[in-house]
Amino acid sequence: MPAPYKTDDDSVVVVIGSGAGGGTVGSELALNGVDTVILEAGKRYSIEDFVNDEWESFGQLAWLDERSTSGNWRVHKDFAGLPAWIVKSVGGSTIHWAGASLRFQDHEWKAKTTYGDVAGANLLDWPIDGKEMEPWYTKAEDRMGTTRTHGIEGLPGNNNFKVMKAGADKLGYKECSTGRMSINSAPRDGRGSCQQIGFCFQGCKSGAKWSTLYAEIPKGEKTGKLEVRPECHVTRIEHDDKGKVTGVVYFDKDGKEQRQKARAVCVAGNSIESPRLLLNSASGMFKDGLANSSGQVGRNYMRHTTGSVYGIFEKPVHMFRGTTMAGIIQDEAHNNPKRGFVGGYEFETLSIGLPFMAAFLDPGGWGRDFSAAMDGYSNMAGMWIVGEDMPQANNRITLNADKKDKYGMPTPNVHFDDHPNDNAMRNHAYRQGAALYEAVGATRTFPTPPYPSTHNLGTNRMSADAKDGVVNQHGQTHDIKNLFVSDGSQFTTGAAENPTLTIVALALRQAAYIRDQMAKGEI
Amino acid sequence: MRLIDRTPKVDRRSFLASTGAAALVVTSTSVLCPTESWGVEAQNLKPETVRTLIRMSRDIYPHDRLADRFYAVAVKGMDGKATEGAPLKATLEDGVAKLDEAAKAAHGVPYADVGWEHQRVALLRAIEGDPFFQTVRGDLVVSLYNQKELWPIFGYQGESASQGGYIKRGFNDIDWL
């Protein structure tokens, strides 16, 4: 049957969410001949709709549904109602992402084995490894047009990168480049090359940056096997008395309740909404929520150990010109416990405009200490810290029984406490980052605290043993074989790398598995 | 709120606020800046409150290169939202009244007339955890820095896609490394 599909068509695979996970798995299923419906809570924009204006774009794209926070993480203090800075629109956070496309290091698939017992951490090895993922990474990089793979040239370095590179050289770092980015350095796959616009976070106006919105979904739709329904917010997944999922309940753009039947369901709403949906789908048969026999749904929430270092120099930098994430240093990404922590971290250049700098440089800061820093904006360089954080059982998404959204469903709370390993890593990175900028003459540096989370991971984690996690090595839930998790919430551990490439690689692999299982009549 | 774009006439009943980058005049309805030729008509708040909030805004984010009108634009936005019955109106009016009381107790004059920035800042530090201060600062961090007119003063160039990005406009022009 070609798209569009009827709501009572129970032969379709329903995908919830259209970002890196959902947009990819949905499009790939269609390309493999599987009838697919993607339900996306946000609107569908086109490239022309994106705006080079930080606050206006934030209002247009950000997921602003009510959420609460708790825990000792700084985000709870600074941005209590905004735990995550992610996107609500077709394309999800691939609209907002900066484009860094890094493979996990081999040891990161085996965090428990490599790091051993870390007090307070709920570490676990992934049931897959780098060898298993190698062909899927290769396929993902080809799909995304990742620079420095498949013979694709690296991007040119902008001013912010040049400052980073000069400092890296002074500190003796050897692994500094403009990185592997899914941003076209030359026209490819029907999309143009990077114009160094500088508003990567606000949606790429040239289309050079890969996004499911325009690089994947249209290919899926062209097959006639994919229907994308924007402004459709899924509130529950339903099942039959045998424990198989049968469809989903959602509210359409007119606020009308609908029910879409399904042969299988893929959940890809990012690591806050995905576990929330499973928990909100609790039933008489599954009292603790769907696929939650392990009790791990919502737990082990990870957000990467982050922070930023900004430096002010005597002369202008104009860091905002050009790609937001224009360079990377990977020397600190390796596991070297002699530094006082396990795991590693990346330095990646990051630039934000004046309006967001005011909000994020030192949240809550004021007075001359703060305004003098803002006065130095044009002479500022900046970089972001992305490191592996420890999964902890009590860092978790729970439901606020007393706070309901407009559909009457409990809203999510995001609890996060920094682990001592996270703090040790962040402090190390702050010191190294400041030293790097001082080596090129910074007159002042800033250890900027974490922004609301952009890398949300781990709340439906993958495990070999059903008692340790929510999904198996294919992202298939241990408890319900026609229910899948397709986003970053299936991450067993977070690794030090930006997660999108791994989410896409897992989604491509999962789509092949679903097609295979359907062919075998298993689902 | 609207900015009155004319040089105001100062009448005898007006009084000159004696401090600040530019002398501000408070009338029965407005705050006027004769030297910068602008005025703010207070729509919901008392004009004296608007004047004090402008002073306070500069003390929170002091930029000596910014004229008072940028702070006035930010405060004008707060005034516009502080409609009758809105909790914001009471927060701002009561907050300013208490700030003035504290200023009088410490220095014998209302907040806006306290002579030194560090003296005013000390008064603000004492209340920085209060909802009043956090409301003003939280609004200001957007309503001040999101004014496109002040971006060039900070060297920020804003929108770039319509100009072809920076690929031919200096994305890699740094020359001092």
Side-chain angles (χ1 to χ4, degrees):
Chain A
M1 278 276 293
Y5 299 99
K6 293 197 163 66
T7 52
D8 64 357
D9 185 341
D10 62 5
S11 72
V12 300
V13 173
V14 167
V15 179
I16 302 161
S18 62
T24 301
V25 82
S27 302
E28 185 70 359
L29 284 169
L31 289 165
N32 283 327
V34 176
D35 296 296
T36 306
V37 173
I38 293 180
L39 298 172
E40 164 57 52
K43 293 180 180 172
R44 186 165 187 161
Y45 295 104
S46 62
I47 285 175
E48 294 71 37
D49 299 324
F50 297 150
V51 285
N52 279 187
D53 182 303
E54 290 179 314
W55 282 117
E56 188 184 344
S57 176
F58 184 78
Q60 178 187 44
L61 298 174
W63 186 288
L64 298 173
D65 292 16
E66 189 181 328
R67 288 168 171 169
S68 59
T69 54
S70 56
N72 71 16
W73 59 327
R74 178 81 190 254
V75 170
H76 170 55
K77 173 173 174 275
D78 294 336
F79 309 101
L82 190 76
W85 180 5
I86 56 178
V87 171
K88 184 177 187 174
S89 82
V90 175
S93 296
T94 66
I95 303 291
H96 162 93
W97 81 308
S101 304
L102 308 172
R103 296 185 180 200
F104 277 23
Q105 302 165 73
D106 281 343
H107 74 269
E108 290 171 328
W109 298 102
K110 305 296 166 193
K112 170 99 173 170
T113 300
T114 309
Y115 307 149
D117 285 322
V118 177
N122 194 20
L123 284 167
L124 191 68
D125 287 348
W126 288 66
I128 51 178
D129 59 19
K131 188 162 174 287
E132 164 66 25
M133 289 304 294
E134 202 284 331
W136 300 103
Y137 271 141
T138 299
K139 184 171 180 174
E141 288 159 348
D142 183 39
R143 284 284 272 269
M144 300 164 80
T146 306
T147 59
R148 294 193 165 85
T149 75
H150 301 276
I152 302 169
E153 291 237 349
L155 286 159
N158 68 0
N159 292 329
N160 204 16
F161 168 72
K162 287 181 170 186
V163 177
M164 167 189 258
K165 181 69 167 68
D169 290 348
K170 289 256 171 72
L171 256 56
Y173 284 146
K174 304 294 182 207
E175 300 169 65
C176 177
S177 75
T178 57
R180 291 185 169 197
M181 305 294 294
S182 294
I183 298 175
N184 280 348
S185 55
R188 190 177 191 272
D189 194 30
R191 294 180 289 115
S193 62
C194 177
Q195 301 301 300
Q196 301 288 337
I197 292 169
F199 284 87
C200 302
F201 286 170
Q202 284 70 36
C204 178
K205 292 288 283 179
S206 76
K209 182 182 80 179
W210 178 87
S211 168
T212 54
L213 174 63
Y214 41 77
E216 298 297 329
I217 287 168
K219 289 176 191 154
E221 288 174 323
K222 209 173 164 189
T223 66
K225 293 280 189 179
L226 172 63
E227 179 188 351
V228 178
R229 289 182 208 155
E231 296 179 81
C232 291
H233 187 110
V234 179
T235 53
R236 271 198 334 275
I237 299 169
E238 296 186 317
H239 63 82
D240 61 19
D241 56 10
K242 295 189 188 78
K244 270 181 69 179
V245 301
T246 53
V248 303
V249 176
Y250 69 92
F251 287 83
D252 67 17
K253 64 181 183 344
D254 301 316
K256 201 172 156 215
E257 188 180 88
Q258 303 280 359
R259 189 171 263 99
Q260 174 66 53
K261 290 188 175 174
R263 178 171 178 172
V265 171
C266 296
V267 181
N270 210 314
S271 287
I272 298 174
E273 290 306 311
S274 288
R276 178 191 178 213
L277 179 59
L278 295 179
L279 294 172
N280 269 336
S281 299
S283 65
M285 185 183 277
F286 300 110
K287 290 189 170 53
D288 297 324
L290 290 190
N292 197 22
S293 65
S294 64
Q296 295 295 312
V297 170
R299 292 188 184 271
N300 311 302
Y301 171 68
M302 295 173 286
R303 42 115 40 224
H304 273 148
T305 296
T306 67
S308 303
V309 179
Y310 290 95
I312 292 179
F313 299 84
E314 288 180 86
K315 293 183 179 170
V317 176
H318 298 127
M319 66 171 172
F320 55 86
R321 295 180 186 169
T323 41
T324 301
M325 202 162 272
I328 183 167
I329 297 168
Q330 300 196 273
D331 295 68
E332 301 285 3
H334 313 295
N335 179 40
N336 173 13
K338 282 181 191 154
R339 292 174 296 182
F341 53 89
V342 298
Y345 62 88
E346 323 269 350
F347 278 126
E348 298 171 348
T349 74
L350 193 87
S351 159
I352 50 181
L354 189 85
F356 274 11
M357 188 59 75
F360 293 129
L361 177 67
D362 179 14
W366 62 278
R368 286 211 176 253
D369 176 53
F370 180 86
S371 58
M374 294 299 295
D375 283 334
Y377 178 78
S378 62
N379 292 17
M380 216 179 254
M383 56 189 177
W384 194 45
I385 300 154
V386 193
E388 178 163 13
D389 59 340
M390 292 293 106
Q392 298 180 77
N394 289 327
N395 283 351
R396 61 189 294 204
I397 313 305
T398 53
L399 301 176
N400 292 316
D402 55 337
K403 281 187 242 166
K404 306 272 172 74
D405 68 10
K406 64 178 173 180
Y407 308 113
M409 303 307 287
T411 60
N413 182 70
V414 182
H415 181 91
F416 191 90
D417 292 319
D418 283 313
H419 186 277
N421 196 75
D422 307 344
N423 290 327
M425 179 186 289
R426 182 181 292 112
N427 289 332
H428 187 275
Y430 279 151
R431 284 195 301 275
Q432 290 301 110
L436 183 146
Y437 281 145
E438 283 160 8
V440 259
T443 54
R444 192 177 173 193
T445 62
F446 305 88
T448 291
Y451 313 123
S453 314
T454 50
H455 299 171
N456 300 274
L457 305 165
T459 50
N460 294 305
R461 76 176 180 181
M462 189 183 281
S463 65
D465 191 325
K467 73 179 191 313
D468 294 329
V470 180
V471 300
N472 68 14
Q473 72 272 27
H474 297 289
Q476 182 178 32
T477 62
H478 287 300
D479 298 351
I480 302 173
K481 68 180 183 178
N482 65 339
L483 177 62
F484 294 80
V485 174
S486 314
D487 59 15
S489 69
Q490 62 183 315
F491 278 33
T492 310
T493 52
E497 290 73 24
N498 311 53
T500 299
L501 177 71
T502 301
I503 294 172
V504 172
L506 287 171
L508 292 171
R509 180 170 170 272
Q510 184 181 76
Y513 177 76
I514 291 173
R515 180 199 53 195
D516 181 58
Q517 291 295 295
M518 286 173 72
K520 288 178 179 159
E522 291 288 327
I523 56 175
Chain B
M1 96 181 190
R2 86 197 157 86
L3 277 173
I4 304 162
D5 187 23
R6 61 179 172 81
T7 306
K9 217 173 114 188
V10 182
D11 66 38
R12 203 171 288 180
R13 286 181 302 164
S14 304
F15 65 93
L16 271 172
S18 59
T19 63
L24 299 185
V25 179
V26 179
T27 73
S28 59
T29 59
S30 305
V31 177
L32 309 172
C33 179
T35 55
E36 293 177 18
S37 299
W38 57 263
V40 173
E41 188 179 42
Q43 290 186 327
N44 298 301
L45 299 169
K46 292 181 205 158
E48 291 83 358
T49 302
V50 169
R51 192 268 170 277
T52 302
L53 287 171
I54 293 171
R55 175 77 275 172
M56 178 180 168
S57 295
R58 179 181 285 284
D59 291 335
I60 292 174
Y61 296 125
H63 293 287
D64 299 339
R65 293 183 294 167
L66 290 187
D68 270 346
R69 67 176 182 277
F70 295 106
Y71 298 97
V73 166
V75 172
K76 187 170 168 132
M78 295 180 215
D79 177 53
K81 286 181 272 185
T83 50
E84 200 58 46
L88 178 64
K89 181 167 180 166
T91 300
L92 296 177
E93 291 289 8
D94 296 351
V96 166
K98 281 187 188 144
L99 186 60
D100 278 341
E101 278 173 34
K104 283 174 191 165
H107 306 289
V109 291
Y111 178 84
D113 294 337
V114 173
W116 288 95
E117 180 183 309
H118 69 84
Q119 294 174 319
R120 295 190 303 273
V121 165
L123 294 168
L124 294 180
R125 286 283 170 211
I127 61 160
E128 70 178 331
D130 295 357
F132 163 61
F133 181 89
Q134 287 303 327
T135 298
V136 175
R137 193 206 58 77
D139 186 282
L140 197 59
V141 77
V142 178
S143 60
L144 178 67
Y145 294 108
N146 204 34
Q147 293 178 43
K148 288 187 172 67
E149 295 72 23
L150 64 68
W151 292 351
I153 299 170
F154 290 85
Y156 178 55
Q157 294 174 275
E159 192 276 336
S160 91
S162 72
Q163 301 167 77
Y166 290 102
I167 196 157
K168 291 175 182 159
R169 295 192 309 131
F171 81 103
N172 60 354
D173 66 355
I174 196 163
D175 60 2
W176 54 264
L177 284 166

